[in-house]
């Protein structure tokens, strides 16, 4: 909860997230709502949000197969270091 307070009060306003990041959020989550998730676009290089149907707040417990599938897809993508090393 302390971290959420820091985020909501703008403690990280002048920081940039450069690490490729994906957030999976349950479409039926009563706590994390789509209307709460704006404003990050100008502060990130590669950040994506995906809402998972049929899940609420505890995605790993509710939809473990979906979480595993998305993680494997995400980590299988070549990153900038690979691209720089191979020229692709």
């Amino acid at each position: 909860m302390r971290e959420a307070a820091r985020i909501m009060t703008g403690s990280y306003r002048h920081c940039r997230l450069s690490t490729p990041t994906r957030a999976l959020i349950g479409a039926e989550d009563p706590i994390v709502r789509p209307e709460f998730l704006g404003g990050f676009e100008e502060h990130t290089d590669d950040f994506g949000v995906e809402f998972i149907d049929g899940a609420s707040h505890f995605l790993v417990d509710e939809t473990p197969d979906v979480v595993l599938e998305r993680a494997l897809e995400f980590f299988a993508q070549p990153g900038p270091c690979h691209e720089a090393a191979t020229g692709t």
Side-chain angles (χ1 to χ4, degrees):
M1 295 308 289
R2 287 179 285 182
E3 193 61 30
R6 288 185 191 111
I7 292 168
M8 290 187 280
T9 58
S11 293
Y12 301 107
R13 179 177 303 129
H14 301 291
C15 298
R16 181 156 199 86
L17 176 64
S18 59
T19 304
T21 306
R22 296 299 175 272
L24 301 178
I25 299 169
E28 287 83 39
D29 190 328
I31 298 168
V32 182
R33 305 298 315 145
E35 58 268 20
F36 300 156
L37 299 174
F40 62 83
E41 297 85 357
E42 297 296 320
H43 303 279
T44 64
D45 293 336
D46 184 2
F47 186 88
V49 176
E50 181 181 354
F51 290 92
I52 306 300
D53 290 330
S56 184
H57 193 71
F58 300 100
L59 274 84
V60 173
D61 295 324
E62 299 168 11
T63 57
D65 293 340
V66 173
V67 173
L68 177 61
E69 178 182 314
R70 297 307 190 281
L72 291 173
E73 289 171 0
F74 180 70
F75 289 114
Q77 297 174 18
C81 292
H82 172 77
E83 292 166 4
T86 61
T88 59

